[in-house]
Amino acid sequence: MKRVVLLVIVTFLMVSMILPQTSIFGANEVQLRFLSLQVGVHPEAPWLEKTVNDFNALNKGKIKVIIDGVAGDQACWEKLRTDAAANTMPDLFTLKADRSEFDVLAQSDRVVDLNSYLKADAEFKKKLNDPGSLETYTYKGKLLGVPYAKAYVGIYYNKTLFAKAGINSFPVTWDEFFAASDKLSKMGVAPLALMTGENSWTSALMLAHLIGTSGPEGLKWLQTSPKDQKFNTPVFINAVKKLQIMLNQYTTLDAIGAGYGVAANNFLQGKAAMIANGPWMIGSFSDPKSAPEGFEKKVGYALAPGNGVIAMENVAYATGSKTKEKRDAAVKFLKYLTTDDVYAAYLSVGGAGPCFQTDLSKVKYPAINQAFLPLAVKAKNQYTIVPNAVKPAVIDALAQLLPGLADKSLAAEQFAKQIQEISDKN
Amino acid sequence: MKTNQEQRRFIVLALIPAVVLFGTFYILPMLGLIATTFFEWNTIKMGGFIGFDNYLKMFQDNVFYIALQNNLSWSLVAMFIHIPLALMVALLLSKKFRGWKVLRTIYFLPHVISVTAFAVIWMNVFNPSFGLINSVLKMIGLGAMCRNWLYDQATAWPAILLTWVFHVGLYAVIILGEILSIPEELFESAEIDGASGIKQSFHITIPLLRNITGTCVILTVTGGLRYFEGLYIMTNGAPNYRTETLALYLYQKIQLIQYSYANTLGVALLAFGLLFVITGMKLFKLGKSDW
């Protein structure tokens, strides 16, 4: 009897191992692996979980999306890069507009071209109607992702500290900006939350604002392709000179070598009066684990001096499925992501700008963003982030060279020369 | 004769699993690593054959020389400061004065703490705003000497070396073990002949520690070559590549998807390590008994 039971168990296990996808439990259910960093404490995690659950319920027995969560930008990127190298791409994943990531995946030829799906579905094609967004995710004529989030990045400022320093409104010229910084500095508050560690994010954003608002040459500089970029130019050197003043006089002592966490914390704890950052930071203003109670009421969001704003494509969703069956299922999910309710819920969480036609009346933007977005959309100077205009090695080099710029052991011209050499060699 | 053959067969059979594992997990990847350095590999997929281009690029790369120089200075500090300090501590502890076991444990403590935690502690010690060093300098009226120790080009590398050079506990314990195994009779005879404690140390103990000292030097230098986490957390090579090492630079190139160049740096690291191990073994005549 024991032998018979054992034989049945073994046979059952063998059959279920051989036929995992088409088992007796779910006839022909297509399972999709969704590699995502929107898990754990990520502010968009609840949105993703609900979206996936709703989609799975709608497609019960046919398609099942399974979240393969990897917390943290860097860790998730490394997983995706490894998957691409091993040719085991996830069926669904976030495709970042950041050139250092996008180019690597685009060149790998492992991301599915969505053009044929757009051609086959007029409704879907009509919906994705932002040519700028589509161009961002197009590589050699192939559309590699459904554009999903666009961010307008300005400068957050602490209204209470500004008022204490006798500054009534956010500066609209760079001269006013430095005068305001002087007042804040004299009050004993660091005007800016900068950082030179990691990818020098907040410092690089200030550099983009300085370049982008310097005139047509600046805008042109930020539109130049990384391989053609020139650093020994007045537009870059002048911006670096101003950044040097910020790093040398108007930031916290611990900014040199600091990562994003330190810079953000300096702003959130009122040690620094301004920080350049995107809408994804809004959630932390009212998070009791990050900021003091009521901090969100103290924060204003302004355009950069010179009427400038960073208008950057942020993320798209893409598929790397190998089989037609899985590709079709993945595209069905991508289409689901573009439905009004799902998209409105997403935009309401992160405060991002839309990348395609949608019913914006359903979006409940955070209060800080509601006042800022109309200004941002109409800003005279709109430009991208520095990482989109330079090679990844240049961004990597910022962490090496900014400390020298800060302590003035490196002049702006030398800085530009060294950056040029690094860009040429890589 | 037959017994010898059987013994040889047994040795060969016993060695096979180790050789297969070593070959699969060390030799083959190492050969693969060397092979990839001759190909272009700057994207997810490997490109075409480029001969010695990566090696030429490496020899024209200033950062490679800074990294190599730092690795070299680390090795010299290991040989001439780190291990001699460990030797001194071991000699002192071997006198078995009151509380020597407690002191031995204290010396060993830093090796029990994770490298990451240790790096964070040192970052706080060197922090320009609230760090221990700057606070003490301000307290004793030397505020003018305050600086951002880890990010000032002049002090960054010495500061990094300082975080490690005094952690001699592990090697002190290894050397102490060897000292304690030296036969007591040698010291007793020397004492009868009127040799002082210092003379005994210089004429008996230290010469008999040649093998273990050589081993410790090789261990600490190769450990230094591989040391990565602390550097990555504290400075990641900044400022201006002053704290770059080959292991760190290699990782940064992997992050930039410059795989074949990273592997070329890996080959350089391997060559540097091998050169050092071989030189160290010859210099200290490792394996030759003094007894």
Side-chain angles (χ1 to χ4, degrees):
Chain A
M1 185 60 189
K2 268 185 184 175
R3 279 186 179 181
V4 175
V5 172
L6 204 66
L7 194 69
V8 170
I9 292 171
V10 170
T11 314
F12 175 78
L13 284 173
M14 281 177 72
V15 169
S16 60
M17 277 165 74
I18 294 164
L19 305 165
Q21 304 292 329
T22 56
S23 69
I24 49 173
F25 304 113
N28 296 322
E29 184 183 69
V30 180
Q31 295 198 342
L32 302 173
R33 179 168 72 94
F34 188 169
L35 178 67
S36 176
L37 58 86
Q38 294 147 306
V39 290
V41 294
H42 195 286
E44 290 161 11
W47 166 80
L48 183 72
E49 196 180 346
K50 183 183 181 309
T51 304
V52 166
N53 287 343
D54 290 351
F55 178 82
N56 287 343
L58 278 171
N59 296 277
K60 202 172 179 185
K62 293 174 193 163
I63 306 170
K64 188 177 184 185
V65 175
I66 299 159
I67 299 172
D68 178 11
V70 178
D73 277 83
Q74 189 61 29
C76 193
W77 164 234
E78 278 173 19
K79 173 85 173 89
L80 184 56
R81 202 176 62 189
T82 310
D83 281 347
N87 201 9
T88 54
M89 284 293 277
D91 299 298
L92 293 157
F93 60 95
T94 309
L95 179 65
K96 285 194 174 180
D98 183 338
R99 294 294 101 178
S100 63
E101 294 187 15
F102 178 82
D103 287 351
V104 170
L105 290 173
Q107 286 161 15
S108 75
D109 214 19
R110 307 258 202 249
V111 187
V112 174
D113 178 11
L114 299 172
N115 276 321
S116 59
Y117 290 96
L118 251 66
K119 271 182 201 161
D121 186 341
E123 198 67 21
F124 190 38
K125 191 179 180 182
K126 196 180 155 195
K127 190 147 210 174
L128 304 185
N129 65 344
D130 185 332
S133 295
L134 290 172
E135 195 191 325
T136 303
Y137 300 102
T138 300
Y139 179 78
K140 291 185 176 172
K142 294 176 185 171
L143 177 65
L144 302 181
V146 172
Y148 212 66
K150 191 185 273 188
Y152 288 100
V153 180
I155 299 173
Y156 292 107
Y157 64 103
N158 187 320
K159 290 187 279 188
T160 310
L161 292 176
F162 265 55
K164 271 187 194 168
I167 308 159
N168 299 321
S169 59
F170 194 82
V172 291
T173 68
W174 285 108
D175 285 342
E176 283 178 27
F177 180 88
F178 285 110
S181 298
D182 259 340
K183 284 183 183 174
L184 288 159
S185 224
K186 278 175 190 158
M187 205 176 73
V189 172
L192 273 162
L194 295 176
M195 54 180 273
T196 70
E198 296 169 359
N199 58 359
S200 311
W201 179 245
T202 63
S203 304
L205 288 178
M206 284 312 291
L207 187 61
H209 285 312
L210 288 163
I211 295 170
T213 55
S214 64
E217 284 298 307
L219 290 172
K220 197 176 153 194
W221 193 93
L222 283 165
Q223 283 164 2
T224 306
S225 141
K227 63 179 169 41
D228 302 321
Q229 194 56 274
K230 292 282 171 263
F231 299 89
N232 289 316
T233 55
V235 66
F236 183 73
I237 291 170
N238 288 336
V240 170
K241 278 180 182 169
K242 287 193 176 101
L243 183 67
Q244 184 169 38
I245 295 170
M246 291 174 184
L247 285 165
N248 184 258
Q249 296 175 35
Y250 297 131
T251 191
T252 52
L253 269 176
D254 58 6
I256 313 308
Y260 171 75
V262 172
N265 192 50
N266 281 333
F267 180 72
L268 295 167
Q269 299 305 320
K271 290 178 191 165
M274 293 179 271
I275 189 168
N277 211 354
W280 48 83
M281 197 183 184
I282 292 172
S284 59
F285 299 152
S286 53
D287 179 0
K289 279 180 263 171
S290 307
E293 207 184 321
F295 184 76
E296 74 275 13
K297 288 173 193 152
K298 294 181 182 175
V299 182
Y301 201 13
L303 298 179
N307 205 345
V309 71
I310 292 169
M312 58 181 271
E313 295 294 338
N314 202 1
V315 292
Y317 286 102
T319 170
S321 295
K322 283 188 205 164
T323 64
K324 189 177 180 308
E325 188 188 29
K326 282 201 165 198
R327 274 200 298 271
D328 290 348
V331 172
K332 192 171 182 185
F333 181 77
L334 294 178
K335 284 181 186 174
Y336 179 71
L337 287 181
T338 65
T339 53
D340 283 349
D341 287 343
V342 172
Y343 200 38
Y346 174 81
L347 295 177
S348 301
V349 176
C355 290
F356 52 82
Q357 222 175 28
T358 191
D359 182 4
L360 281 174
S361 66
K362 291 181 177 176
V363 182
K364 288 174 190 151
Y365 278 122
I368 296 171
N369 231 16
Q370 255 173 3
F372 175 72
L373 268 177
L375 296 173
V377 173
K378 289 177 191 161
K380 184 185 159 198
N381 298 305
Q382 298 195 9
Y383 36 85
T384 187
I385 49 172
V386 174
N388 285 343
V390 302
K391 293 177 183 172
V394 169
I395 292 300
D396 196 52
L398 287 181
Q400 298 291 338
L401 302 180
L402 285 178
L405 199 68
D407 66 18
K408 290 192 169 176
S409 60
L410 207 60
E413 290 80 1
Q414 290 169 302
F415 178 87
K417 193 180 164 214
Q418 261 187 274
I419 289 274
Q420 185 67 61
E421 282 170 11
I422 289 161
S423 182
D424 292 342
K425 279 182 191 167
N426 289 276
Chain B
M1 189 68 184
K2 200 180 174 186
T3 319
N4 269 348
Q5 261 185 348
E6 272 176 5
Q7 262 186 345
R8 208 173 288 168
R9 198 177 300 158
F10 174 74
I11 289 168
V12 170
L13 281 172
L15 277 175
I16 283 173
V19 170
V20 168
L21 286 173
F22 186 75
T24 311
F25 294 107
Y26 283 93
I27 303 296
L28 282 178
M30 228 179 269
L31 291 174
L33 174 111
I34 295 166
T36 58
T37 62
F38 299 105
F39 290 85
E40 191 176 13
W41 194 6
N42 296 328
T43 58
I44 295 289
K45 290 175 183 171
M46 199 187 286
F49 182 76
I50 53 166
F52 286 91
D53 281 9
N54 275 322
Y55 291 90
L56 290 174
K57 184 180 167 184
M58 186 173 76
F59 289 122
Q60 289 165 356
D61 183 351
N62 289 337
V63 182
F64 165 70
Y65 289 106
I66 296 173
L68 196 65
Q69 194 182 312
N70 284 342
N71 274 132
L72 200 65
S73 71
W74 185 292
S75 306
L76 292 174
V77 167
M79 271 195 291
F80 296 110
I81 301 177
H82 193 67
I83 294 301
L85 266 175
L87 188 61
M88 271 171 61
V89 171
L91 284 171
L92 276 173
L93 291 175
S94 70
K95 302 297 172 199
K96 294 183 180 175
F97 48 81
R98 203 182 159 142
W100 73 280
K101 282 185 179 170
V102 178
L103 209 62
R104 183 181 60 178
T105 311
I106 291 171
Y107 272 115
F108 198 78
L109 268 181
H111 292 277
V112 185
I113 301 170
S114 85
V115 179
T116 309
F118 222 87
V120 173
I121 291 169
W122 278 105
M123 278 170 81
N124 285 319
V125 169
F126 288 124
N127 188 291
S129 346
F130 56 80
L132 180 74
I133 295 180
N134 279 0
S135 301
V136 169
L137 284 173
K138 278 178 201 161
M139 210 165 65
I140 57 173
L142 294 172
M145 286 178 73
C146 288
R147 55 178 71 207
N148 195 343
W149 299 94
L150 283 173
Y151 285 90
D152 185 311
Q153 292 201 37
T155 58
W157 185 243
I160 290 285
L161 287 178
L162 195 73
T163 63
W164 155 86
V165 75
F166 295 112
H167 296 167
V168 296
L170 176 69
Y171 299 108
V173 168
I174 294 173
I175 295 169
L176 180 64
E178 185 78 359
I179 293 173
L180 296 179
S181 71
I182 297 171
E184 276 294 317
E185 302 86 67
L186 289 173
F187 298 106
E188 284 164 9
S189 313
E191 217 166 287
I192 290 163
D193 290 341
S196 66
I198 294 174
K199 273 192 175 171
Q200 284 175 33
S201 293
F202 274 94
H203 295 287
I204 301 172
T205 317
I206 293 175
L208 289 176
L209 294 177
R210 181 180 46 77
N211 258 319
I212 198 70
T213 310
T215 307
C216 285
V217 167
I218 287 171
L219 283 176
T220 186
V221 170
T222 50
L225 287 177
R226 285 185 286 114
Y227 183 61
F228 169 80
E229 310 96 305
L231 281 171
Y232 177 72
I233 291 164
M234 283 190 281
T235 59
N236 198 14
N240 209 357
Y241 306 101
R242 286 289 166 244
T243 60
E244 203 74 67
T245 61
L246 285 174
L248 189 61
Y249 193 39
L250 180 158
Y251 175 75
Q252 288 163 349
K253 290 296 169 189
I254 289 172
Q255 291 303 100
L256 291 171
I257 327 274
Q258 295 180 9
Y259 294 130
S260 59
Y261 188 55
N263 287 352
T264 311
L265 292 167
V267 172
L269 186 62
L270 198 68
F272 188 69
L274 271 177
L275 187 76
F276 192 87
V277 170
I278 293 166
T279 313
M281 285 176 85
K282 291 216 162 174
L283 209 65
F284 286 94
K285 295 175 188 159
L286 290 189
K288 288 185 183 168
S289 175
D290 292 307
W291 305 91

